[in-house]
Amino acid sequence: MTKRFAVIGSPVKHSLSPTLFGFLFAESGTDATYIAHEVAPEALSDCIAAMRKGEWDGLSVTVPHKLAVRPLVDEEDSLVIRIGAANTLARRGDRIAAYNTDAAGCARALAHGGATLQGANVVILGAGGAARSAVFAALDGGAKSIRIVNRTADKAQALAQAAGDARCAALDATSLQGVLNDSDILIQSTTVGMSAPDSSPLAADIVLPRRLTVHDMVYRPLETALLARAAAQGCRVIDGLWMLVFQALKQFEYWTGVRASDETALALHAHLRGAAT
Ligand SMILES: NC(=O)c1ccc[n+]([C@@H]2O[C@H](COP(=O)([O-])OP(=O)(O)OC[C@H]3O[C@@H](n4cnc5c(N)ncnc54)[C@H](OP(=O)(O)O)[C@@H]3O)[C@@H](O)[C@H]2O)c1
């Protein structure tokens, strides 16, 4: 029987997920459909009840439901509990399991781009949901240190504390250059640059050392001002579409039990490039 999947959110019509999973299901020969399903906050519990009755085999969950969905499910993966948000639901009979694939997506994007988290000094820009997944990707990947810089300093402090690991600390923006000089990986997880090709989350006088790998989670545009600057300064760069692709492949794995190859990731990235610019 054809399986039914969707991304739920509000607004959701600009989501790349239907294009992504349409390609992935066709390429893998999976008998399944995937649509963008607009769900207002007040309709979320009805949507999950319908899923429990069989309307959906799996759901991708996006803004604003990633936290609100948690009390509505039957099981939570440990990463959902640690990160505090779910982005994937899978129906197992009449039970619903929740997962978070953003940390895995971030880690695999870094690995695919040639960066090693093990023993790395990592700087994370931002302290929202995406930064939270980056923190846990870095912790679980064996990073030596994780420094969080955010426009609202209190939120960086709160995220470092919530991580509950001595390797993780908030960083004052005035100390950023000194820390970057001794860092291996910079993960940009603020919304700065989104649909704004000239906006950069870094002050103009910050110099990015050549040894740095720079991963920008923003993927619209694909080459953000930060990535353009990093590439010009000789850094290795990893665009946000890689994280989107790898977090989706992890969702696919939860739904089908199949781990997609790096070749599939390459094909997906190439397929989505046009849609992301
Ligand atoms: N590639 C992927 O697969 C992937 C996955 C998840 C998210 N993302 C992207 O990651 C980005 C962040 O998502 P999110 O869910 O973490 O959002 P969020 O929870 O709303 O957090 C937004 C973050 O951006 C910061 N910010 C917003 N405007 C800023 C400005 N003008 N200057 C400096 N900092 C600013 C916020 O700082 P304050 O705390 O000071 O407000 C906060 O740290 C989005 O662009 C999203 O599309 C990509």
Side-chain angles (χ1 to χ4, degrees), residues 102-227:
D102 279 338
C106 178
R108 204 166 156 198
L110 288 170
H112 179 79
T116 306
L117 277 167
Q118 184 67 45
N121 291 316
V122 178
V123 174
I124 296 173
L125 304 180
R132 224 177 150 84
S133 58
V135 165
F136 286 100
L139 283 174
D140 293 354
K144 187 171 154 197
S145 73
I146 300 155
R147 298 286 171 264
I148 307 164
V149 190
N150 192 46
R151 176 180 62 177
T152 310
D154 289 358
K155 289 192 194 165
Q157 197 72 52
L159 176 51
Q161 264 166 19
D165 191 299
R167 291 173 289 162
C168 202
L171 178 71
D172 188 279
T174 55
S175 314
L176 181 59
Q177 182 67 66
V179 170
L180 279 178
N181 291 343
D182 192 33
S183 292
D184 306 289
I185 298 174
L186 172 66
I187 302 174
Q188 194 310 105
S189 60
T190 76
T191 50
V192 178
M194 200 161 67
S195 304
D198 298 329
S199 309
S200 171
L202 289 182
D205 58 351
I206 293 278
V207 177
L208 299 167
R210 291 177 73 86
R211 62 186 289 212
L212 208 58
T213 294
V214 180
H215 172 38
D216 196 336
M217 288 194 189
V218 170
Y219 54 83
R220 271 190 181 119
L222 199 56
E223 189 183 56
T224 58
L226 174 67
L227 288 189

